[in-house]
Amino acid sequence: MSEQKYGAGIWHFATYVDRYATDGYGPPRTLIEMIDLAGQVDDLSVVDINYPFADSSLSLDTVAAALERNKLSVIGITPEIYTRQFAQGAFTNPDAGIRRLANELVNDAANVVRRFGADYVKLWPGQDGWDYPFQVDHKKLWQRSMDGVGELASQNPDLKFVIEYKPREPRVHMSYDSVARTLLGIEKIGLPNVGILLDFGHSLFGGESPADAAQLAIDHGRLFGMDVNDNLRGWDDDMIAGSVHPIELFEFFYTLRKNKWEGVWQLDQFPFREDSVGAANSAIGFLKTIERGLDKLDFDAMQAAQDRHDAVAALKLAREALFTSG
């Protein structure tokens, strides 16, 4: 029996709004209600939780009790350094007081990581970047991007910090926009506890090959986490994993297996109109199909085909492993 763990961002079970349905696509949900929904998903055992909690009166003990009741553990804590408060940036804000506030918020989140025995603090600095030509001093902005992460990693050497890069949103251009640029920043920071969380959909959206991005991060020893979803490449749609790019998703996990990378297979999906439990079960069901496909795949034959750059033979091997039964 497989020992693979499956996880999800707790926001998968939230109520979503957009510019048109500003009151949401369902009734508001508390964090405890979201945890209880996550507990209904088959084979889901791990969650990533946003911090601070929307309900400021909610205690860590209450959250811990809900997690235990649903047999869930925490893989990461995601500090909300991307909200309106940080509209001009978190680590790169021109106001030193706001930069300090971001540091304090992430340090608070680090203590929550310790409380729950999680693996990492996840940094998604969505407001760090720029929107217009001439808006920023690029040298200063990039230095502050690195300094902000480096300071936190130095303050918490016992914890891992993972950077989730993305080309854009909410800023028109994010500082950490690609695997290559993020790796350059991490190497410049020069600390062992800073790595990448590779979001499959962000990589697609950025015009990357997720498998190639994963290999690059692994080669630098910096792939600390990953999550999956899908999109149409024009936006970060956060659709059900495998619904649009099943072959590329298979290649992504093939790359992880080939490199003996082990970790949680985590969902980062936004089921606006879909049942959240059903959407999670659908994705995990397909991830199990991928896992079975990897078990069937002839890795030696695949390597031989790749050594010849034989696309026809390689795709035949991949399709037969993924899509045929038995």
Side-chain angles (χ1 to χ4, degrees):
M1 178 177 286
S2 170
E3 297 181 357
Q4 180 60 53
K5 287 186 176 182
Y6 299 97
I10 200 64
W11 51 89
H12 183 288
F13 306 96
T15 299
Y16 300 103
V17 301
D18 60 25
R19 291 191 296 162
Y20 306 100
T22 55
D23 56 348
Y25 284 90
R29 290 175 183 152
T30 67
L31 175 58
I32 301 304
E33 289 172 333
M34 287 187 269
I35 292 172
D36 286 339
L37 280 173
Q40 297 177 30
V41 178
D42 298 335
D43 299 306
L44 187 73
S45 61
V46 177
V47 291
D48 181 331
I49 297 178
N50 309 88
Y51 182 83
F53 309 140
D55 180 357
S56 60
S57 67
L58 194 60
S59 71
L60 294 179
D61 288 343
T62 301
V63 175
L67 291 165
E68 184 176 2
R69 180 173 69 248
N70 287 283
K71 298 181 173 58
L72 296 170
S73 62
V74 179
I75 186 172
I77 297 295
T78 300
E80 294 189 332
I81 55 173
Y82 41 79
T83 57
R84 184 170 59 182
Q85 184 176 31
F86 301 104
Q88 293 297 321
F91 304 135
T92 63
N93 199 293
D95 185 332
I98 299 296
R99 297 199 300 272
R100 182 51 44 196
L101 190 63
N103 176 274
E104 292 170 357
L105 174 57
V106 178
N107 270 302
D108 287 345
N111 287 328
V112 180
V113 168
R114 295 184 181 97
R115 168 65 175 80
F116 289 129
D119 288 358
Y120 50 69
V121 180
K122 189 179 81 178
L123 302 175
W124 182 61
Q127 299 284 12
D128 285 327
W130 67 93
D131 304 311
Y132 291 94
F134 286 101
Q135 183 175 12
V136 300
D137 178 325
H138 291 289
K139 179 179 177 63
K140 184 177 292 186
L141 190 87
W142 183 229
Q143 190 62 54
R144 283 179 176 168
S145 296
M146 295 184 290
D147 289 346
V149 176
E151 182 181 21
L152 287 162
S154 296
Q155 291 167 337
N156 301 274
D158 59 315
L159 297 181
K160 291 180 180 178
F161 289 81
V162 298
I163 301 170
E164 182 178 5
Y165 69 86
K166 184 177 179 179
R168 60 175 297 187
E169 194 203 17
R171 296 312 290 258
V172 171
H173 196 112
M174 281 176 57
S175 291
Y176 291 104
D177 67 350
S178 63
V179 67
R181 186 176 178 90
T182 305
L183 283 171
L184 282 171
I186 290 172
E187 294 306 312
K188 185 76 170 179
I189 292 167
L191 295 172
N193 57 329
V194 182
I196 283 177
L197 185 138
L198 203 166
D199 182 298
F200 181 85
H202 293 181
S203 187
L204 287 176
F205 175 33
E208 298 177 340
S209 156
D212 175 60
Q215 186 65 64
L216 196 60
I218 288 170
D219 287 346
H220 285 77
R222 299 293 184 172
L223 186 60
F224 288 5
M226 49 75 63
D227 53 40
V228 293
N229 44 52
D230 217 329
N231 61 53
L232 300 176
R233 267 197 159 91
W235 192 247
D236 182 33
D237 302 299
D238 285 321
M239 297 162 69
I240 294 171
S243 56
V244 184
H245 296 96
I247 284 289
E248 285 181 272
L249 190 62
F250 190 43
E251 184 192 23
F252 175 74
F253 282 110
Y254 162 77
T255 302
L256 300 185
R257 174 78 68 91
K258 181 180 178 181
N259 286 276
K260 297 180 171 57
W261 187 91
E262 295 181 355
V264 174
W265 291 12
Q266 181 155 281
L267 307 178
D268 182 5
Q269 303 179 160
F270 279 56
F272 277 78
R273 300 164 185 82
E274 292 71 37
D275 174 76
S276 59
V277 173
N281 278 328
S282 174
I284 291 175
F286 187 67
L287 294 184
K288 288 183 175 181
T289 298
I290 282 181
E291 195 178 2
R292 290 191 295 270
L294 291 173
D295 291 340
K296 290 191 297 182
L297 182 65
D298 186 332
F299 276 64
D300 290 337
M302 179 62 77
Q303 186 63 61
Q306 291 179 339
D307 288 344
R308 301 191 306 272
H309 291 200
D310 190 337
V312 174
L315 280 171
K316 183 173 186 293
L317 288 165
R319 287 168 174 164
E320 288 178 349
L322 183 59
F323 295 126
T324 60
S325 60

